[in-house]
Amino acid sequence: MRRIAYFGPQGTFTEQAARQLHATAELMPCETIRAAMTAVRKGDTDAACVPVENSVEGPVSATLDGLAEDDPLVAVAEALLPIRFSMLAHPDTDPGALRTVASHPHALAQVQRWLEHHFPDAEHIAASSTAAAAVGVTQGQYDAAVTAPVAAEHYPLKVIATDVADVPDARTRFLLLRRPGALPEPTGHDRTSVVAAAENRTGALSELLTELAIRGINLTRLDARPIRGSFGRYRFYFDFEGHVAEPRVGDALAALRRRCDVRFLGSHPRADDGAASPSAAASNDVFVHAAEWVESIRRGESA
């Protein structure tokens, strides 16, 4: 992998995640999440690194929408970063006289109480990214920016606070996306993701979840996003334990596809410390033995 697009500009947590996922690749900052995905779809880069969920603010809607629309992309790896911020200001700024503090809305939400305590009179201004807020400080648009720590390496600003967070254990998960192709091998500690457009009728979502439950597959995340141009209809994003190479997961995906439109979003090793379901191995054995039994019947060897 030679080149990775990421949600930039330089100095974001996404840049830190991209470095963690592939230390030697050339990194190409993009202005938006969709632009990073487009770079992969057009073949300008080998992959894209984008945020998908935060433990405080929840799912990143731009990433979810981008995965469901346009040409398919699949996740082949993930990174989980602890989210603690730095506060940067112009070198000549008096910290006691800050009037405006800028950052991405998710970041502002995660440090709101800290800002209210330390800078109660400062106005909070939303920027397109934490790094864009730092750029705005260099250009004189804002007095200070709440950023990823890596931003201090890229911009001529002074650090006036570090380790800033309202929730000490806040984390964000990032995905490494590629065009469809060979998938990572199963490790026994994997995550599979899909998006399904269920019918708008009673019990439709319950039926999809049942397909996972009866196969002993543990659901780890469920999100819903509206389908554009179709008011009242939603796509459902599922993350669950296991890899598409496993018999039970493959069988579940086939069952989901029989019920509605489904897009496969990837199978890859998990970055978190969540334990696999104790029944996973047993469930896979059951599906293997059942398939072998059916094949023996078809061959006329058993009944």
Side-chain angles (χ1 to χ4, degrees):
M1 192 174 297
R2 294 172 298 177
R3 200 175 194 207
I4 298 175
Y6 71 93
F7 175 39
Q10 287 182 316
T12 60
F13 283 105
T14 314
E15 179 189 357
Q16 290 185 218
R19 289 182 182 181
Q20 179 176 315
L21 287 165
H22 206 293
T24 61
E26 176 190 356
L27 301 184
M28 185 182 83
C30 295
E31 187 174 347
T32 64
I33 288 172
R34 184 171 290 276
M37 292 184 173
T38 298
V40 185
R41 290 182 168 117
K42 292 172 60 178
D44 295 336
T45 63
D46 299 309
C49 182
V50 295
V52 66
E53 65 171 331
N54 174 265
S55 62
V56 177
E57 288 300 296
V60 180
S61 57
T63 297
L64 298 186
D65 292 342
L67 287 170
E69 301 166 356
D70 301 321
D71 295 336
L73 295 174
V74 295
V76 296
E78 68 179 37
L80 195 63
L81 294 188
I83 304 300
R84 301 185 73 81
F85 299 90
S86 293
M87 193 169 182
L88 308 183
H90 190 275
D92 298 331
T93 297
D94 176 8
L98 293 183
R99 296 167 299 167
T100 56
V101 178
S103 194
H104 188 275
H106 276 202
L108 289 173
Q110 293 179 70
V111 299
Q112 182 176 358
R113 291 197 297 270
W114 187 91
L115 287 174
E116 290 174 349
H117 177 73
H118 291 87
F119 301 96
D121 298 326
E123 178 186 1
H124 304 171
I125 301 176
S128 59
S129 70
T130 57
V135 172
V137 174
T138 66
Q139 297 173 345
Q141 299 176 34
Y142 323 117
D143 293 331
V146 174
T147 72
V150 69
E153 301 176 15
H154 296 295
Y155 303 104
L157 302 173
K158 68 177 179 180
V159 179
I160 60 176
T162 60
D163 210 29
V164 177
D166 289 346
V167 180
D169 62 346
R171 297 185 293 177
T172 295
R173 187 162 65 94
F174 299 83
L175 298 179
L176 187 67
L177 304 174
R178 299 190 69 170
R179 294 181 296 279
L183 296 172
E185 293 294 322
T187 65
H189 187 66
D190 302 295
R191 188 191 314 276
T192 291
S193 303
V194 300
V195 54
E199 295 181 25
N200 185 13
R201 60 174 176 79
T202 302
L205 176 58
S206 176
E207 291 171 1
L208 299 184
L209 297 176
T210 297
E211 297 291 3
L212 301 179
I214 63 176
R215 291 168 175 84
I217 296 174
N218 184 38
L219 185 72
T220 59
R221 185 173 66 96
L222 170 62
D223 292 307
R225 290 285 299 160
I227 297 175
R228 298 184 188 185
S230 185
F231 184 77
R233 293 194 64 213
Y234 294 84
R235 294 188 182 97
F236 297 97
Y237 296 80
F238 301 150
D239 283 358
F240 47 86
E241 292 178 354
H243 192 285
V244 66
E246 298 176 27
R248 67 190 181 115
V249 174
D251 195 69
L253 291 178
L256 293 176
R257 187 61 180 262
R258 289 193 295 268
R259 291 190 177 275
C260 65
D261 290 335
V262 176
R263 175 177 283 194
F264 175 71
L265 302 181
S267 287
H268 55 79
R270 294 173 61 177
D272 58 34
D273 54 4
S277 171
S279 62
S283 296
N284 279 315
D285 289 343
V286 166
F287 277 92
V288 170
H289 295 156
E292 291 174 348
W293 175 71
V294 171
E295 285 302 314
S296 70
I297 291 175
R298 289 170 175 167
R299 293 192 301 266
E301 297 174 356
S302 63

